[in-house]
Amino acid sequence: MTTTANQLFKDLVQKGRLSSTIAEVASLTAIDVAPVIEELSGLRDYHQLRMLESFQESRVSDYHLGVSTGYGYGDSARDTLDQVMAQALFAESALVREQFVSGTHAIAAALYGLLRPGDEVISATGLPYDTLREVIGIDQASGSLQDFGITYRQVDLKPDGSIDLPTLLEQVSPRTKLVMFQRSRGYSLRPSLSVAEIGQACQTLNQRHPHVLTFVDNCYGELVEKLEPTALGAHLIAGSLIKNLGGGLAPTGGYVAGKAELVEKAAGRLTAPGIGAHVGSSPGGRRLYFQGLFMAPQVVYEALAGAIFAARLFERLGFAVTPRYDEHRSDIIQAITIGTAEGVVAFCQGLQQACPVDGFVLPEPNAMPGYADPVIMAGGTFIQGATSELSADAPIREPYAVYFQGGLSQTFVRLGAVIAAQKLYDRALLP
Ligand SMILES: *Cc1c(COP(=O)(O)O)cnc(C)c1O
């Protein structure tokens, strides 16, 4: 029996923020999830030790934590941070930059860096994440890859959510330059792909079609499993620093990691050919990037433990959830199918009321750049839009699912989940 959890729910009842009905379900949930969360602590410890070793082997020092300006020539902190990240991600090389405005930007720099007119790119995991559709040119946009004569093909996942490797191998042509994989579910109800499955596909491609490069959109997946795709044959991965690897502290940025010559090409696209990774300063200083990376194993653990609680809570309340609380995870996202637009709005408004920043705000669905449907986003975060912090996003479209992720502390995620559940209860939207 987890007495601290029960105390939390009791306090919420006493303060009039939770009904005894929801508190009762939450208490039972806490008991169900305790062994699953206990097991997860082993993953956290494994990554924390590896992270410490990465820092020590790169000889991170106090003087790396200060600022640099202008070109940043000879900025050893920049190179050291790249080196720490490379080791943490089992990669030859990495490019960690605050000049990446988002994960989409880092992924786009990788794609534009590697692809040339006449090349073909294949997505091996169906339709890519919303913001990448304009990058590729699936959705019309000026300056897309398609605009530069780079064609696109897609191999859908099998109905069970696994990679359709035979079809993928068949679709590869001499023009195929790159095959991309999306590890996370993104805004869809498919399962996240395990690193082992992505690695298997990359290795098979490497053997059968050695001219093809493999790229993984690694967003939301970092440190959720023991290995990263780069450890199992993926040539290049990319992601955001306001998700897992920023540890809730990195104020902005993205990363690319993998084979050194490919990282260099992405760097040439971020800055300019020739100067690549060798310029770029950090006027605000790199302390939060180092510190966030060091904290990332703990913060990812807190997010996962919170997601496990939320999965069980909403399952107990009668909703379909994916993954289930005791299922394998390869990303930090918890999807909950609420089933109605009003329910999605209630969930997000409830979650918002549990946030330390903008807790008084009532979120509403809105058009968002890069997204086709209106999206409602909840999350009063210290870093704008950071999904390493507690947040929920939901495109207002069938099947009306919310995607819930992050949370700097497990207790805080539990608070958010129960208050969201309470909001559904208050509006008579529970099944
Ligand atoms: C978050 C995310 C991205 C990039 O999104 P940004 O908001 O630009 O950081 C790309 N792919 C997936 C699967 C994501 O989850």
Side-chain angles (χ1 to χ4, degrees):
M1 175 80 73
T2 49
T3 46
T4 48
N6 281 309
Q7 188 60 49
L8 175 69
F9 307 135
K10 271 187 213 154
D11 288 348
L12 285 168
V13 172
Q14 204 184 25
K15 288 172 196 287
R17 298 190 72 175
L18 208 59
S19 63
S20 53
T21 313
I22 299 293
E24 179 64 24
V25 182
S27 297
L28 294 171
T29 299
I31 297 165
D32 294 341
V33 300
V36 183
I37 292 173
E38 173 59 29
E39 201 179 311
L40 193 64
S41 63
L43 178 81
R44 171 197 60 196
D45 295 354
Y46 160 87
H47 282 306
Q48 194 63 73
L49 176 58
R50 287 190 59 245
M51 197 60 83
L52 177 64
E53 288 167 351
S54 304
F55 273 67
Q56 294 187 335
E57 284 168 36
S58 290
R59 302 177 65 86
V60 174
S61 175
D62 185 54
Y63 62 78
H64 291 134
L65 308 181
V67 306
S68 65
T69 56
Y71 295 123
Y73 288 143
D75 179 344
S76 64
R78 184 184 61 226
D79 303 336
T80 302
L81 182 59
D82 286 348
Q83 203 179 318
V84 175
M85 181 68 93
Q87 185 172 338
L89 297 178
F90 309 91
E92 236 172 65
S93 170
L95 180 75
V96 185
R97 291 294 182 278
E98 63 196 64
Q99 284 82 12
F100 281 128
V101 300
S102 66
T104 302
H105 186 196
I107 293 166
L111 296 176
Y112 282 90
L114 301 186
L115 294 162
R116 296 292 178 269
D119 287 345
E120 175 183 80
V121 53
I122 297 180
S123 165
T125 48
L127 194 60
Y129 186 74
D130 298 56
T131 59
L132 297 175
R133 297 176 199 164
E134 284 171 287
V135 172
I136 294 167
I138 301 168
D139 292 346
Q140 175 58 37
S142 175
S144 69
L145 291 172
Q146 194 191 329
D147 245 13
F148 286 90
I150 295 152
T151 58
Y152 169 77
R153 273 208 264 181
Q154 182 174 312
V155 175
D156 288 332
L157 293 167
K158 292 195 285 196
D160 68 355
S162 63
I163 297 170
D164 186 350
L165 197 53
T167 306
L168 176 60
L169 292 170
E170 215 175 84
Q171 291 284 314
V172 171
S173 75
R175 281 210 306 118
T176 309
K177 176 71 159 290
L178 182 136
V179 171
M180 60 188 287
F181 300 86
Q182 180 181 308
R183 178 171 172 184
S184 168
R185 67 189 62 248
Y187 283 160
S188 81
L189 290 174
R190 73 151 170 97
S192 54
L193 290 173
S194 71
V195 170
E197 186 179 354
I198 294 172
Q200 176 69 53
C202 290
Q203 284 164 30
T204 309
L205 276 166
N206 293 347
Q207 281 162 9
R208 302 272 284 279
H209 300 289
H211 70 286
V212 171
L213 298 172
T214 51
F215 171 80
V216 181
D217 170 355
N218 207 32
C219 281
Y220 285 134
E222 302 92 351
L223 309 179
V224 175
E225 292 191 82
K226 283 196 159 183
L227 297 176
E228 297 298 328
T230 26
L232 296 180
H235 294 125
L236 201 65
I237 61 177
S240 165
L241 292 184
I242 62 169
K243 294 181 177 173
N244 305 17
L245 289 175
L249 292 173
T252 185
Y255 75 92
V256 173
K259 295 273 172 223
E261 67 193 285
L262 305 181
V263 171
E264 190 59 41
K265 287 185 180 206
R269 177 67 198 199
L270 169 65
T271 62
I275 58 176
H278 311 294
V279 292
S281 58
S282 184
R286 288 200 178 76
R287 177 177 63 82
L288 293 172
Y289 298 94
F290 280 107
Q291 195 174 349
L293 184 57
F294 185 69
M295 289 301 295
Q298 181 71 39
V299 171
V300 169
Y301 163 80
E302 299 291 338
L304 286 170
I308 287 165
F309 175 85
R312 185 58 173 157
L313 177 73
F314 283 88
E315 183 179 44
R316 273 187 168 276
L317 291 171
F319 295 99
V321 302
T322 174
R324 292 193 60 226
Y325 76 105
D326 54 358
E327 256 177 332
H328 176 81
R329 286 169 193 261
S330 184
D331 67 15
I332 62 169
I333 299 182
Q334 180 62 50
I336 304 169
T337 303
I338 305 287
T340 60
E342 308 82 72
V344 162
V345 171
F347 180 102
C348 291
Q349 292 182 344
L351 191 82
Q352 186 76 31
Q353 287 184 347
C355 287
V357 179
D358 289 332
F360 53 88
V361 165
L362 208 61
E364 293 285 353
N366 246 312
M368 294 279 302
Y371 296 88
D373 299 287
V375 177
I376 181 164
M377 292 188 166
T381 57
F382 292 96
I383 290 159
Q384 189 192 77
T387 49
S388 49
E389 299 182 52
L390 183 63
S391 48
D393 320 73
I396 302 297
R397 67 182 179 216
E398 291 274 350
Y400 300 106
V402 297
Y403 300 87
F404 175 102
Q405 69 271 308
L408 302 173
S409 101
Q410 198 183 149
T411 303
F412 171 44
V413 183
R414 289 184 178 205
L415 273 166
V418 296
I419 293 174
Q422 184 62 43
K423 188 64 86 185
L424 285 158
Y425 178 83
D426 290 345
R427 296 187 187 166
L429 292 166
L430 288 180

